[in-house]
């Protein structure tokens, strides 16, 4: 096991990793930016090191400073958390070149699965379903027509350089295809200075379901079931749950098996997540792999009873998984809500300032992961995630009820947060019925 | 090991060499803001106001409204007072410094960076020991301006 | 189900019951004394009613005021929590006479099992082992010798009116018996103005192990395993855990079966606890029944996943248990530490005042039941219990490690608490080894 | 139903009849401390300082340093202003009261208790309505002392 781990992150995930290290009897070094100086969670670390200015690129994204901090404090491993450098292969490579273990997958696996295009190739090779599409830039109109016919309508045209909806066109009928293609190329050119577009099958009203993987460096790989993260606001997950209310037993088995197959093919170890879209007919399509721990990992911890961060650290230290697939028996239902410091009336602009009153909920089956407390500061420079409320109950209706109770109980003043929105979302009959899709929040609220 | 030429080049490439000067307290208070060394408990990391005469008896004079400048570390690394173990230190208490005077080396990831005073005056105090680890923003020297 | 429950208690257990009610969609009425006016947990209740002055006998013990408060607020049930009126049969009777359900067992069962002597009779009748003893006051010397011979040495002589060690004499040898008897009688006379004494087998270095029972009004009764509460300070439990580290499988089965048999014989329903002493040879002896929910109930909730308060309310409303004995499958290990506002340097005198800083621990498998927060007031008039830290991990060593981490993380300022003592206790090798007995703390700290 | 004789006997047995009078604010402030009614949100239970003229336009005069007394509820129950539905109320605004003047009935667990003023003066305000639930310590009447 490692002697001392440097935690290259901040806020709730830094605290989460710190607690895991302490339970493994590993010393901790926390880094902080000048903006985070004095944060209470730093008090719990064995050492705390200022690494730079408030802006992420001056501190938490500065790989050399992080490695230097590990060197001067004698840390033999770095946990990157999520965000910042967690999926940066070069950083992982640099760490290991300096004899500091990067707690995550091998650089090879990160590159293979972390890159969308390469992951898609591996998926296809291993018969993991992907969204049918052009597999690259469309060259001419005739090719487009041929491919669209193969894919089947409706299709969606997307800008290769794009994101956020710009340059996208949904085409329901072949006769509209070429006109839409022209428009999409023009839009892509205007927005991204590139006319490159590709097409995919358009998945209407999909659910977002992902599979948690954990694997050691000795070839043992298991999945820990799925998380349903369909409840999103502008591609940001807001509510996650496990098991998915929309999967039947067989789809679940196939989905998890596909995720394992993909990771095995890439010789993946550490914790990772394989993300899928599931359509209204329970067909699933691989979209991407997150080669790190995720914000919503506690949902899986609650239903499986397995501490993902501790396990991730153990396998990084070369230990074998001490459980196999049969020993993973999820029970009950868990839901997580993300409480962001954002103003719903100001188009969810992050709110910053001092939290004067912070009263998290408690009780049976309730966990709150947060760095919050009376008097804590929320910085405008970083992710607005202030707290995660996770509940675990025997059944989904009970879990929903407990979450409602918790959201009612939670007091954060005076900052605006997503609490009021979440209260409405969790109380909505469509959420209870499990009949939502990824566009639910935009359509409904 | 300490091939200074290489080091500067490397460190410049990484954009690491920069010196931040702490301005005097805007309220005109006699105190100098200092950060405590990295190894201290983080609860002690917040700046502490110290009256210069109380910090070190050797500080010359009893003038309380002197505005000291600090030379602070622009990086995380190990502090070296001299270019190599057999050489005298770059500066000592009482040494006059100008903006381009090299005051110490900082080593990180086997790269040594020369740190310049970036201010003019006389070294009043050296706040870290040779070979000590320093964090970003940590005060290394107190400079009494001319 | 009830429409509205009045919670006849305060502090952490009032909050605990309140949360359970909310999850059952039952409205809540909280009562409070003038001393507790403004307490934050009252804010969570649907209604809050001041019932009297600061002294318990002027408020929380005033049964007529509690019932009047239930009547004027339209509450159809009262949950007594623990302490105060929770084991008061007359109060239970009065409630029901006013058509307000008392959430607890029948008055008959309370009387049968709540009274030590009568419970002992039922235990004997049902072949549940009790501490062998004189079953009443010793009449003369000859009788004493005969009985002591039957019991077997060592024996302990106790004052009938006594408690707290006074009038007690341990006798290891027959030749010392009569002299000790004379001394004990004199001491009893001096201390309690009564020469009545009785004898029992002296159980050397016992463990305190108790069995959690839950039963409905339709004849279904199950046990939820045991709790080991051996770690006590002056008969006050400080640390509780489940399962007991000292029981083998067979003893556990027999112990739990004995508890069920006893409660069944008394037609007991609701939650209840059967307490035993276990000697160094794994022989167990029934001591008493607590006919209410206990402070340490969360330990059982963590290992079984069953919400005891919700279940208790459901069976009080006439519902059947929705699980049977086979469905109860405890997993992992749970430990609870009681954080009392007491000064260990002042012989554990309760500390009162304002908590300026309250930073409870969190993380995986951690639950904190507390009414504490920055700025909360701790009154000298009530129980000094400020918080319960409960941890749940796959194994006992992991649970201990998590508890250590939590006790380190917990900050309560400026009041003195049992935190420093608990940190030393949990770190003690004898606690790790599970080789302690009820006298451990007095001997060791 | 309202057999007053019985009630008093019963309530005395329970030691429930007691009237607590709120002393005027020790700082000599013109405000009267009031507790809000039971049904209000508990966060509002803390005493609220109110200037008497602002409370009710009908309060006679503009003298700001009057020290009102409160007749407060010694129990939890239901407030009745009159001995029975067909009778006039025990007291009205303007009624003179002495220590033993019965001002209302409080009912709890079907037992009616007569509440006495326990102070002398004139009823200035009646703070609860007939049939309303009251909690312990709740102000029922404001009395302007003679």
């Amino acid at each position: 096991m490692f002697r001392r781990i440097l935690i290259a992150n901040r806020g709730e995930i830094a605290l989460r990793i710190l607690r895991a290290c302490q339970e493994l009897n590993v010393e901790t070094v926390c880094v902080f930016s000048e903006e985070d100086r004095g944060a209470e969670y730093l008090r719990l670390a064995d050492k705390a090191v200022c690494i730079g200015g408030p802006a992420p690129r001056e501190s938490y994204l500065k790989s050399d400073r992080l490695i230097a901090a590990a060197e001067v404090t004698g840390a033999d491993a770095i946990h990157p958390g999520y965000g910042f450098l967690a999926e940066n292969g070069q950083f992982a490579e640099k760490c290991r070149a300096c004899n500091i273990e990067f707690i995550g997958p091998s650089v090879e696996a990160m590159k293979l699965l972390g890159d969308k295009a390469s992951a898609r190739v591996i998926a296809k090779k291993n018969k993991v379903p992907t969204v049918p599409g052009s597999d690259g830039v469309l060259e001419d109109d005739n090719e487009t027509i041929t491919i669209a016919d193969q894919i089947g309508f409706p299709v969606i045209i997307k800008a290769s350089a794009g994101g956020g909806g710009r340059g996208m066109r949904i085409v329901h009928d072949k006769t509209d295809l070429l006109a839409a293609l022209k428009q999409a190329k023009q839009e892509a050119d205007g927005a991204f200075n590139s006319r490159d577009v590709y097409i995919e099958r358009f998945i209407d009203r999909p659910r977002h379901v992902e599979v948690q993987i954990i694997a050691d460096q000795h070839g043992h790989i298991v999945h820990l079931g799925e998380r349903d993260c369909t409840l999103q606001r502008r591609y940001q997950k807001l509510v996650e749950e496990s098991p998915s209310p929309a999967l039947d037993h067989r789809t679940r088995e196939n989905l998890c098996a596909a995720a394992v197959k993909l990771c095995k093919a890439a010789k993946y170890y550490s914790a990772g997540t394989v993300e899928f879209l599931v359509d209204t007919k329970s067909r699933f399509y691989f979209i991407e792999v997150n080669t790190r721990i995720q914000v919503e990992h506690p949902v899986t911890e609650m239903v499986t009873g397995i501490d993902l961060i501790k396990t991730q650290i153990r396998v990084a230290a070369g230990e074998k998984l001490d459980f196999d697939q049969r020993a993973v028996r999820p029970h009950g239902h868990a839901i997580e809500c993300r409480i962001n410091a954002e103003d719903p009336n100001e188009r969810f602009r992050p709110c910053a300032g001092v939290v004067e009153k912070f009263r998290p909920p408690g009780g049976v089956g309730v966990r709150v992961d947060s760095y919050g407390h009376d008097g804590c500061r929320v910085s405008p420079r970083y992710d607005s995630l202030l707290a995660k409320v996770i509940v675990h109950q025997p059944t989904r209706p009970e879990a929903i009820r407990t979450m409602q109770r918790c959201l009612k109980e939670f007091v954060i003043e005076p900052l605006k947060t997503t609490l009021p929105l979440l209260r409405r979302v969790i109380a909505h009959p469509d959420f209870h019925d499990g009949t939502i899709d990824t566009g639910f929040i935009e359509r409904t609220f | 090991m300490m091939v200074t030429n290489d080091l500067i080049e490397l460190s410049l490439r990484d954009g690491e060499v920069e010196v931040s000067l702490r301005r005097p307290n805007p309220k005109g208070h006699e105190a100098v803001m200092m950060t405590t060394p990295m190894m201290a408990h983080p609860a002690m990391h917040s700046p502490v106001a110290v009256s210069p005469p109380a910090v070190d008896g050797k500080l010359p004079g009893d003038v309380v409204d002197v505005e000291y400048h600090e030379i602070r570390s622009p990086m995380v690394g190990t502090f070296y007072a001299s270019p190599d173990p057999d050489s005298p230190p770059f500066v000592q208490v009482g040494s006059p410094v100008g903006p381009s005077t090299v005051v110490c080396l900082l080593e990180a990831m086997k790269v040594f960076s020369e740190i310049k005073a970036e201010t003019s005056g006389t070294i009043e105090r050296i706040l870290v020991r040779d070979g000590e680890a320093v964090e970003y923003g940590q005060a290394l020297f107190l400079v009494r301006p001319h």
Side-chain angles (χ1 to χ4, degrees), chain A residues 37 42 50 52 64-65 71, chain B residues 14 16 42 45 74 109 135-136:
Chain A
R37 186 182 292 280
L42 297 173
C50 182
D64 284 2
R65 291 243 182 104
E71 287 190 338
Chain B
D14 276 19
E16 287 279 14
H45 267 288
M109 298 175 71
E135 66 181 350
Y136 174 86

Side-chain angles (χ1 to χ4, degrees), chain B residues 52-68:
Chain B
V55 173
D56 190 339
K58 279 180 258 170
L59 277 174
D62 279 318
V63 185
V64 288
D65 58 348
V66 169
E67 289 172 349
Y68 293 95

Side-chain angles (χ1 to χ4, degrees), chain A residues 344-364:
Chain A
N345 298 325
E346 294 263 356
R347 307 182 68 213
F348 297 97
R349 204 168 42 85
C351 287
V354 172
V355 176
E356 284 163 19
K357 192 168 177 183
F358 186 82
R359 299 282 181 278
V364 185

Side-chain angles (χ1 to χ4, degrees), chain B residues 13-68:
Chain B
R13 195 196 61 200
D14 276 19
E16 287 279 14
V17 172
E18 44 179 289
V19 172
S20 79
L21 277 179
R22 184 86 184 187
R23 296 260 154 57
N25 190 320
K27 288 171 197 144
H29 199 267
E30 74 275 18
V32 172
M33 302 305 270
M34 287 178 38
T35 57
T36 51
M38 175 175 56
M39 294 307 173
H41 194 277
M44 296 167 60
H45 267 288
S46 43
V48 180
V50 186
S51 288
V55 173
D56 190 339
K58 279 180 258 170
L59 277 174
D62 279 318
V63 185
V64 288
D65 58 348
V66 169
E67 289 172 349
Y68 293 95

